[in-house]
Amino acid sequence: MEKHFDINRGGFSIRSRLIVNDNDKSTRTFDDVVIVTHGFGSSKETAGTLHFGEHLTSKYKGFAVIAFDWPCHGMDARKKLTIDECLTYLTLVTEYAKEVMKAKRVYNYSSSFGGYLTLRYLIEKGDPFTKIALRCPAVCMYQSMMSYLSEDDKNKLRKGKEISVGFERKMKVDQSFFDSLKSFDVMKHEYFDFADSMFIIHGTKDEMIPIEESRRFAENNVIEFIPVEGANHPFQNPDHMALAIHKIIEFFHG
C-alpha cells in the first residue's frame, strides 16, 4: 500500500510517498524505515521506487519506505535549487522517521544526485543511518553537471544570471549552486568510518556517471562495490533494476 502526504517541518512542505505492507496500513510506527532519494530531474514517483518498496515490505515485516521530492523536483513548490535546502530536506525527513514513525533504525537508498547529497550529508551533518545503499552515485557531480551546460548558459552564469536546468520540469540555478557543487568534491573526502555500513551498485553502461569514477571511490574507501553488466544510469532494463533491488534489500536486512 502507498499513500502520499506532506512532511511539514521547519517552514518547508516536503512532498512524500509512504510505502508499507497492506497488513501494516493502519500502523503508525515502524522499527525500520528506509528513506529513498532520487536523482537530478527525477522524482519520488519512479516505478523503481515503488518496486523497491513493494518488494521490501512484502518480504520483511516491520519495514516502511519513505520517498520524497528534492526541492524543485516532482511536486515540490520551490523554484530555485540550492544544495543547503536539499540537505535540510534530508534532515527533516530523517527526523520525521525517527520522531513521528519512531524508527529504531533508518536506512538510506539513494541514486545519482541523491547519492551525492547523501555522501555530502555524512561529512557535513553526520551519519544518522544504519546502512546506506547507493545506486550510480554522482561522485563527480560538478563535472557531470557542467558537461551538460551549453556555452550560452555558462556565459549567463558568469554574468550573474540564473539559468533553467532539468528535464520534464525546469528549475532555476545560479552560479552559487555550481560553486557549492565544486566546493564539495566527494573524491577528496574519506569515508572509511562509513564503509562497513555502505554498499554501491553501478551499471557498466552508465552514460552520465562513469563507472570507473564510482569504482575508484569505492576502492579508495574500501566500500563494497557491485558492477551490473549492461546497466545504464537509470537502470531502465527491468532485469537490471530487479537485481539492484534484490541486492539492496538483502544488504539492508543482512
Side-chain angles (χ1 to χ4, degrees):
M1 184 210 82
E2 65 170 327
K3 75 169 186 177
H4 290 76
F5 68 107
D6 296 342
I7 296 176
N8 297 306
R9 292 189 157 215
F12 297 97
S13 185
I14 305 173
R15 313 300 191 204
S16 305
R17 182 186 192 187
L18 176 69
I19 304 171
V20 299
N21 188 286
D22 284 344
N23 295 327
D24 293 328
K25 59 186 177 183
S26 61
T27 304
R28 302 288 184 184
T29 63
F30 293 85
D31 286 347
D32 297 277
V33 175
V34 179
I35 294 173
V36 178
T37 84
H38 60 78
F40 190 85
S42 185
S43 78
K44 67 184 183 303
E45 302 300 332
T46 66
T49 295
L50 181 60
H51 291 157
F52 170 79
E54 289 179 339
H55 278 73
L56 175 66
T57 58
S58 65
K59 191 168 186 178
Y60 296 115
K61 185 174 175 58
F63 270 85
V65 172
I66 297 177
F68 67 95
D69 289 328
W70 289 120
C72 307
H73 290 71
M75 298 300 294
D76 186 77
R78 309 189 85 72
K79 306 296 184 185
K80 186 175 180 180
L81 184 64
T82 71
I83 295 297
D84 283 348
E85 286 189 348
C86 289
L87 298 178
T88 297
Y89 272 34
L90 187 52
T91 295
L92 296 176
V93 175
T94 302
E95 289 176 350
Y96 179 90
K98 290 184 173 184
E99 296 169 10
V100 178
M101 300 180 73
K102 307 298 182 185
K104 296 177 181 176
R105 292 165 294 273
V106 179
Y107 307 78
N108 180 305
Y109 164 30
S110 292
S111 304
S112 194
F113 178 53
Y116 167 83
L117 291 169
T118 294
L119 290 169
R120 182 164 180 166
Y121 192 93
L122 296 178
I123 299 297
E124 294 187 352
K125 307 293 185 181
D127 182 12
F129 306 114
T130 300
K131 290 185 178 180
I132 298 167
L134 304 177
R135 180 167 59 80
C136 303
V139 295
C140 47
M141 187 68 200
Y142 173 74
Q143 295 86 341
S144 178
M145 286 287 295
M146 290 300 292
S147 70
Y148 282 90
L149 293 185
S150 66
E151 285 304 316
D152 184 47
D153 280 342
K154 291 177 183 178
N155 286 331
K156 288 179 180 177
L157 291 172
R158 282 191 284 267
K159 293 176 181 176
K161 297 180 179 179
E162 294 179 349
I163 62 171
S164 294
V165 295
F167 302 105
E168 290 184 10
R169 175 179 172 179
K170 299 295 183 182
M171 62 198 89
K172 298 290 185 181
V173 293
D174 59 17
Q175 186 61 50
S176 66
F177 173 78
F178 291 95
D179 289 344
S180 181
L181 288 181
K182 189 175 182 179
S183 73
F184 188 91
D185 184 344
V186 167
M187 303 296 279
K188 293 181 179 178
H189 292 270
E190 291 184 351
Y191 289 84
F192 297 114
D193 290 345
F194 317 110
D196 289 344
S197 60
M198 195 181 298
F199 158 89
I200 296 175
I201 190 164
H202 207 115
T204 62
K205 299 297 185 183
D206 192 324
E207 67 287 357
M208 296 186 73
I209 306 297
I211 188 173
E212 293 79 12
E213 296 296 318
S214 187
R215 190 196 304 274
R216 181 161 64 92
F217 170 76
E219 290 176 349
N220 288 347
N221 291 282
V222 200
I223 297 168
E224 182 181 1
F225 183 84
I226 295 182
V228 177
E229 188 63 39
N232 64 2
H233 187 66
F235 273 57
Q236 283 173 306
N237 183 305
D239 292 337
H240 295 154
M241 181 60 81
L243 175 62
I245 288 171
H246 172 75
K247 293 289 187 183
I248 292 165
I249 288 174
E250 293 306 305
F251 175 68
F252 283 162
H253 193 261

